[in-house]
Amino acid sequence: MEISKEKFRHVGINEEESQAIVRPSITYWQDAWRRLKKNKTAMIGLVVIIIMTIMAIIGPMMVPYVHSDTDLSNTEQPPSREHWFGTDDLGRDLWARVWVGARVSLFIGLMAALLDTLIGVVIGGISGFYGGKLDMILMRFIDVMIAIPGMIFIILIMVIVGSGVVPIIISFAITGWLGMARLVRGQILQLKEQEFVLAARTLGASSSRLIFRHLIPNTLGVIIVSLTMRIPSAIFTEAFLSFIGLGVKPPMSSWGQLASSGAAVLRVYPYRLFIPAFFISITMLSLNLFGDGLRDALDPRLRK
Amino acid sequence: MEAKKLIEVKDLKKYFHVGGGGVLKAVDDLNFFIREGETLGLVGESGCGKSTAGRTIIRLYDATGGEVLFDGMNVHKLDKNKAKEFTKKAQMIFQDPYASLDPRMTVGDIIGEGIDIHNLYKGKERMERIYELLATVGLNREHANRFPHEFSGGQRQRIGIARALAVEPQFIVCDEPISALDVSIQAQVVNLLIKLQHEKKLTYLFIAHDLSMVKHISDRVGVMYLGTLVELASSTELYKRPIHPYTQALMSAIPIADPDVERSRKRILLEGDVPSPINPPPGCRFKARCRYATDICSKEMPEFREIGKDHFVACHNV
């Protein structure tokens, strides 16, 4: 076939059209959500977490028993139509106790994680943003704190302040912010030398504008992932403390404390350990899977 | 009449402390001025302190010594209000179009940031102004709601230019604005910069390492070597009659777009590498690689003196 000049036609170029972007505009969070939805395990984790949360709210209302009411004529019942998870040695309904325990465990996990994230972000942010001597002092302090096992701190605080939900949350927050502070400091240090931050400074942006408009939004992904990973570890630490008798005290209930009393009668009534242990495991697993998926979804280096 | 000097840089120094007590002299005794409405090109190889000089002039870094006068006032000695005013008059365009736009902000907010900081416009007027700026740099108004990652390198660089223009500055430091771009896009961005200069009477400090591009855009060109200027002249003069041995070597490296001439082009090859700017020895910075070096070169720093009209050079042997 011959290619001649006449077969070509000059169509020109439309400036306006050549600059147009056809792809629909999506924000960073929409994009992350789109990627998260594709991750099946993370979505299963999310669904389980949502179910757990809903059950923690409505679970105790589904039965006509109160978690702390004893019924001495109905002690040590196996699971039945009246008592779905059975009763304990004082005749308290275990279904009610498991879901009230879920409230306590989830609440402690969430609050402890939020509180230590807040402390960590503030201290890490200050350290990274202002740098210099202040940064030196704060980081050496964190180095010293990290060298001491956190559990010793927690047990010490619980022994001095006493047990209960609030002391648990406070002691977790005091020991848990160190890693978050380091993480945020590293991010801020890296970000503040980026050209878009320099550009904002050239435009005369104040420190608070730099921090809240540029630095924090760009660190948020990392902070959220770290937060989701903190929740299961706080839940587990609470369960551990209650198991060794330092955490939540009866008649109040928590998963760790239910497992503790269940372990005592493991040979006779194994379900009394297995039920709370199952919920602890599945919640931690779901949170970890969800956190993993979230990390993949928010990490721009994995952007396709 | 000669235009007034908008920027005067006098003995500007910027040192960084490095580990082990060393001092990195990134910028050392820099002297030049920029007249209103002109473009001063600043060239030099990587690590010679071009970008540091630009950032110190725009106050992103504090100067270790010397002064930068903008319209007669020392920019490093401003009080808070004056400093904010200065950020409205002097702006910067950055090198990396991928790192210089905040990925979490829409293009409209990026461009509008200067407007917000200086409270120039509000509400509907603000949006109108952003659309106008987008149009100025050749983008559509629909782009205001999009995010930086949706744009190409050249488009992003134009967004960066629009951001700098938002506060209606008189002076813009262009820190290698084209070195990260594709060659075909380079011309587009440079021509936009030239067009804007004519329309808005802008003054540029144009930092680059592409010699032919610098010649194209600059009225005068300064050559930097290890933190200091070795030669400064009008661009035609400098490219036709380079005097400093380093400038001569640089000029001989420009390819010529004529195969016959190109074939006979003789390159001056420099021996060795750029010495480290950490604790440099006294004397001329270039002596270790200079063909004409004599005794005096290792003892005294050559003075930066005017040898012809507007032609400055720092060399003992001229």
Side-chain angles (χ1 to χ4, degrees):
Chain A
M1 199 183 92
E2 199 173 317
I3 297 167
S4 63
K5 229 178 177 179
E6 292 79 52
K7 290 193 172 148
F8 291 91
R9 183 164 56 91
H10 189 257
V11 288
I13 180 168
N14 184 338
E15 263 302 313
E16 187 82 354
E17 252 173 48
S18 72
Q19 298 292 347
I21 303 173
V22 189
R23 206 172 89 126
S25 178
I26 50 171
T27 67
Y28 172 75
W29 297 109
Q30 286 170 329
D31 197 28
W33 174 239
R34 202 194 58 189
R35 249 171 300 156
L36 188 65
K37 271 195 297 196
K38 281 191 195 147
N39 188 337
K40 283 216 178 62
T41 40
M43 288 315 284
I44 292 170
L46 181 63
V47 169
V48 173
I49 295 163
I50 292 171
I51 292 172
M52 286 291 172
T53 315
I54 293 171
M55 283 308 286
I57 296 165
I58 62 166
M61 301 171 208
M62 291 162 75
V63 287
Y65 313 102
V66 178
H67 72 281
S68 54
D69 280 1
T70 55
D71 177 4
L72 293 174
S73 58
N74 269 319
T75 60
E76 316 278 22
Q77 295 288 316
S80 64
R81 192 170 292 176
E82 285 79 43
H83 297 283
W84 295 341
F85 284 167
T87 58
D88 67 2
D89 49 355
L90 293 171
R92 293 177 291 206
D93 180 60
L94 276 176
W95 174 273
R97 284 185 74 69
V98 161
W99 296 116
V100 169
R103 284 180 189 177
V104 173
S105 290
L106 291 176
F107 179 74
I108 288 175
L110 190 67
M111 286 313 284
L114 280 177
L115 206 59
D116 71 32
T117 300
L118 187 71
I119 300 174
V121 168
V122 169
I123 292 184
I126 289 173
S127 193
F129 187 74
Y130 292 101
K133 280 214 174 70
L134 185 70
D135 180 42
M136 237 303 268
I137 294 166
L138 285 171
M139 283 303 118
R140 292 303 81 76
F141 176 69
I142 288 176
D143 287 345
V144 172
M145 290 286 284
I146 277 182
I148 306 167
M151 199 51 88
I152 292 182
F153 258 111
I154 294 171
I155 291 173
L156 219 63
I157 293 167
M158 307 290 298
V159 167
I160 295 167
V161 184
S163 54
V165 173
V166 176
I168 290 179
I169 293 174
I170 291 171
S171 64
F172 284 6
I174 287 175
T175 52
W177 62 272
L178 304 161
M180 182 63 92
R182 272 191 175 170
L183 187 77
V184 171
R185 171 185 173 265
Q187 289 283 318
I188 300 273
L189 274 184
Q190 194 191 0
L191 281 172
K192 74 172 183 180
E193 288 304 315
Q194 293 269 312
E195 285 186 343
F196 69 84
V197 178
L198 295 181
R201 279 174 57 197
T202 314
L203 284 165
S206 57
S207 293
S208 65
R209 191 185 174 89
L210 287 180
I211 293 172
F212 294 110
R213 288 299 300 269
H214 295 286
L215 298 176
I216 298 280
N218 279 285
T219 334
L220 213 54
V222 183
I223 294 173
I224 288 176
V225 170
S226 184
L227 177 78
T228 15
M229 295 300 206
R230 275 293 294 161
I231 298 174
S233 88
I235 290 176
F236 186 76
T237 315
E238 183 276 324
F240 169 78
L241 282 177
S242 298
F243 194 82
I244 61 169
L246 277 171
V248 178
K249 289 265 170 7
M252 201 51 211
S253 157
S254 87
W255 283 344
Q257 191 243 314
L258 289 174
S260 172
S261 61
V265 290
L266 174 62
R267 289 186 180 189
V268 201
Y269 312 112
Y271 58 89
R272 290 205 12 218
L273 173 63
F274 290 158
I275 291 170
F278 170 77
F279 286 115
I280 294 173
S281 315
I282 199 133
T283 307
M284 282 183 56
L285 181 69
S286 307
L287 279 162
N288 275 315
L289 289 177
F290 178 65
D292 267 343
L294 205 56
R295 191 189 49 215
D296 293 346
L298 291 175
D299 194 338
R301 270 163 298 188
L302 294 170
R303 174 167 251 141
K304 273 177 241 154
Chain B
M1 205 195 87
E2 210 168 62
K4 70 166 181 170
K5 294 170 183 173
L6 186 68
I7 294 275
E8 269 183 277
V9 177
K10 290 178 178 171
D11 298 326
L12 187 69
K13 295 180 183 65
K14 177 64 197 173
Y15 299 166
F16 293 101
H17 292 281
V18 289
V23 177
L24 191 153
K25 299 188 171 177
V27 174
D28 204 11
D29 285 324
L30 199 62
N31 279 292
F32 64 83
F33 58 85
I34 309 175
R35 294 194 187 93
E36 198 162 30
E38 80 168 348
T39 302
L40 180 77
L42 209 52
V43 293
E45 53 200 297
S46 320
C48 74
K50 308 179 297 273
S51 291
T52 311
R55 289 180 179 187
T56 314
I57 290 168
I58 205 100
R59 271 172 45 95
L60 276 175
Y61 295 148
D62 290 323
T64 313
E67 51 187 17
V68 177
L69 300 179
F70 180 87
D71 224 351
M73 44 178 201
N74 185 344
V75 301
H76 290 283
K77 297 245 158 53
L78 299 174
D79 60 40
K80 223 178 158 193
N81 291 335
K82 283 269 168 58
K84 198 167 176 191
E85 225 170 87
F86 176 69
T87 63
K88 203 176 158 302
K89 289 179 184 157
Q91 272 306 310
M92 186 151 180
I93 296 166
F94 290 87
Q95 177 175 7
D96 183 352
Y98 291 87
S100 63
L101 306 177
D102 189 334
R104 300 294 142 76
M105 286 167 84
T106 62
V107 167
D109 282 339
I110 289 171
I111 296 175
E113 182 155 36
I115 299 173
D116 298 340
I117 290 171
H118 294 281
N119 280 324
L120 300 178
Y121 300 98
K122 284 247 180 309
K124 224 182 131 205
E125 276 186 323
R126 174 178 176 271
M127 280 326 285
E128 281 307 314
R129 175 80 181 128
I130 289 167
Y131 294 147
E132 195 185 307
L133 286 161
L134 279 169
T136 313
V137 296
L139 295 169
N140 307 346
R141 55 166 54 205
E142 287 79 39
H143 290 155
N145 294 321
R146 298 199 169 257
F147 287 86
H149 67 86
E150 302 176 55
F151 293 87
S152 68
Q155 288 175 319
R156 284 165 185 237
Q157 200 57 292
R158 282 184 275 155
I159 295 166
I161 293 171
R163 167 176 61 192
L165 290 176
V167 293
E168 290 165 17
Q170 293 170 266
F171 171 60
I172 299 181
V173 175
C174 309
D175 185 6
E176 307 204 23
I178 52 166
S179 59
L181 302 177
D182 197 88
V183 180
S184 58
I185 307 295
Q186 285 187 356
Q188 196 186 33
V189 170
V190 164
N191 291 336
L192 174 68
L193 285 172
I194 294 173
K195 190 186 97 184
L196 291 170
Q197 179 166 42
H198 290 310
E199 284 172 12
K200 300 181 191 292
K201 309 250 176 312
L202 295 169
T203 307
Y204 288 146
L205 173 63
F206 192 87
I207 301 168
H209 52 233
D210 180 338
L211 295 164
S212 359
M213 202 52 104
V214 169
K215 187 186 179 197
H216 176 60
I217 192 173
S218 310
D219 301 304
R220 293 186 305 135
V221 176
V223 180
M224 269 183 94
Y225 186 77
L226 268 185
T228 188
L229 275 174
V230 293
E231 190 162 2
L232 175 67
S234 73
S235 54
T236 39
E237 167 92 2
L238 188 85
Y239 282 74
K240 231 185 270 164
R241 215 160 62 85
I243 287 176
H244 195 280
Y246 180 64
T247 319
Q248 289 173 351
L250 276 187
M251 295 305 157
S252 76
I254 306 175
I256 303 160
D258 176 342
D260 293 332
V261 189
E262 170 70 17
R263 224 164 281 142
S264 62
R265 178 167 66 98
K266 275 234 159 55
R267 286 202 55 186
I268 304 170
L269 288 173
L270 291 176
E271 303 276 318
D273 285 319
V274 187
S276 159
I278 300 169
N279 300 333
C284 176
R285 289 290 168 78
F286 188 57
K287 62 174 186 284
R289 303 170 76 188
C290 182
R291 297 187 291 170
Y292 312 107
T294 52
D295 280 349
I296 189 165
C297 298
S298 47
K299 283 178 195 134
E300 269 176 57
M301 183 87 131
E303 200 189 331
F304 193 57
R305 60 204 159 92
E306 192 162 8
I307 55 146
K309 193 187 175 308
D310 262 353
H311 195 147
F312 297 82
V313 69
C315 184
H316 287 299
N317 299 321
V318 189

